Amino acid sequence: MTHTDLYAVLGNPVAHSKSPRIHALFAAQCGHDLRYEARLVALDGFADALIPFRAEGGQGCNVTVPFKFEAARLAERRSPRAEQAEAANTLGWDDAGRLWADNTDGIGLVRDLARILMRPEKGLLATQRVLLLGAGGAASGVLGALIETGAQAITVWNRSPDKASRLVARHASLARTYGVALEAATVPPVGFDVVINATASSLGGTPLPLPSGVLRSGALAYDLMYQRVPTAFVAQAREALAQAHDGLGMLVEQAAESYWLWRGVRPDTRPVLAALQAELGVRDD
Ligand code: NDP
């Protein structure tokens, strides 16, 4: 009897997720037999949702809003990336049945930035000044990887400033190791080369209240959110003549890293991103 491996993305909301499509394309490319579902989980039911999933033969799952912090806490073993982020987007079970957690959001973002900038990942943002907007699960997941690019400076701004301060404090030691000037700001400052929107502002379709000059010609603006039409942040950035991209490429890259963690095979992301862009009728700037 053939056995189809089961994977899923767990979140709330989750219906909009492109992860099932991405993993179906990876599986076709790799000749793997698997099923990948989007599962809506009650806001207070994340831990409970893992039990039937595992009983049905679940091999691993991705985790999205708002469960990334809880996912990391639940795991018996965390990768250094998940430990640093205190958040996980990838879960699996080892041979002894123990739940492990990892976070592939950061490497996903860095790989997509490398694609956009057409530069190697190593030292990708050296000499660059980076502004990270947001301090939720996604910002927590990407900050460590941004620091590891050796950026000259990284400033974190969040609507609730205490969360930005805590995120920065948690990464202070890593930033020292990489010689990155890391700080939190209470107002989004100007003068940055790369501006990354890791807030959920675009979900509501509203532009962020950014002082003029934060988004400007010559800057790269990146919205972690993606959708068929330009996100509010992408539209705002283009209006300011910045080079703007949404997070579809990151989504494909973080998914490929999860796939590798689960199955030991790294899919080629380029044809998958191209297929998604064609299906959504979107193009890169
Ligand atoms: P969380 O709910 O954990 O955090 C939300 C963050 O956005 C917080 O910093 C919150 O601020 C801020 N925020 C929410 N609404 C607004 C607003 N109207 N104005 C300003 N700030 C706001 O969500 P995540 O961090 O997990 O996700 C953030 C975004 O990143 C989502 O759009 C998600 O889809 C996207 N994402 C994309 C990925 C990809 O692969 N492309 C991967 C992961 C996430 P406060 O602390 O003040 O509440």
Side-chain angles (χ1 to χ4, degrees):
M1 192 176 82
T2 57
H3 168 73
T4 302
D5 289 340
L6 174 65
Y7 299 88
V9 53
L10 272 48
N12 186 339
V14 78
H16 66 285
S17 175
K18 291 277 166 266
S19 293
R21 180 70 185 132
I22 291 169
H23 284 276
L25 290 167
F26 287 165
Q29 186 190 103
C30 300
H32 290 173
D33 178 22
L34 64 81
R35 193 154 55 92
Y36 186 110
E37 301 174 349
R39 292 197 171 193
L40 180 68
V41 171
L43 291 175
D44 61 353
F46 182 73
D48 288 346
L50 290 177
I51 299 163
F53 175 68
R54 182 70 177 148
E56 287 167 51
Q59 304 289 305
C61 60
N62 286 124
V63 182
T64 187
V65 184
F67 301 118
K68 290 184 179 180
F69 294 109
E70 188 177 350
R73 280 197 303 272
L74 276 175
E76 291 171 79
R77 195 160 52 79
R78 279 170 289 281
S79 69
R81 300 185 290 206
E83 195 72 51
Q84 178 72 58
E86 294 181 1
N89 75 335
T90 309
L91 297 177
W93 286 267
D94 65 18
D95 292 341
R98 284 182 303 238
L99 184 68
W100 56 260
D102 204 336
N103 196 315
T104 67
D105 280 341
I107 189 71
L109 172 62
V110 168
R111 290 205 176 125
D112 198 39
L113 289 174
R115 175 188 68 85
I116 290 165
L117 294 167
M118 292 187 286
R119 284 191 215 139
E121 279 165 44
K122 195 169 164 49
L124 179 69
L125 299 179
T127 78
Q128 303 284 293
R129 295 170 54 78
V130 179
L131 176 60
L132 178 63
L133 306 167
S140 300
V142 302
L143 182 54
L146 288 173
I147 290 170
E148 289 172 9
T149 65
Q152 186 189 108
I154 302 177
T155 297
V156 181
W157 170 84
N158 190 50
R159 177 175 73 170
S160 313
D162 53 317
K163 279 206 224 165
S165 304
R166 281 204 299 275
L167 184 60
V168 163
R170 230 168 57 224
H171 287 76
S173 160
L174 187 69
R176 272 195 299 278
T177 304
Y178 282 84
V180 177
L182 177 66
E183 62 180 15
T186 49
V187 175
V190 298
F192 287 83
D193 308 299
V194 180
V195 182
I196 295 167
N197 181 25
T199 77
S201 62
S202 291
L203 281 175
T206 47
L208 279 168
L210 299 176
S212 90
V214 172
L215 296 169
R216 61 184 171 86
S217 165
L220 171 66
Y222 192 101
D223 194 351
L224 263 55
M225 206 189 120
Y226 60 90
Q227 60 185 26
R228 191 178 288 272
V229 294
T231 69
F233 181 76
V234 164
Q236 185 177 12
R238 287 187 181 149
E239 182 103 338
L241 303 180
Q243 183 194 354
H245 293 266
D246 73 15
L248 190 63
M250 170 181 167
L251 186 79
V252 174
E253 293 295 345
Q254 61 80 32
E257 185 74 5
S258 296
Y259 198 95
W260 181 77
L261 289 170
W262 292 324
R263 304 187 66 86
V265 179
R266 200 182 297 279
D268 181 358
T269 50
R270 285 166 305 175
V272 173
L273 177 58
L276 281 179
Q277 286 172 331
E279 287 170 17
L280 291 168
V282 297
R283 59 174 180 77
D284 253 346
D285 236 6

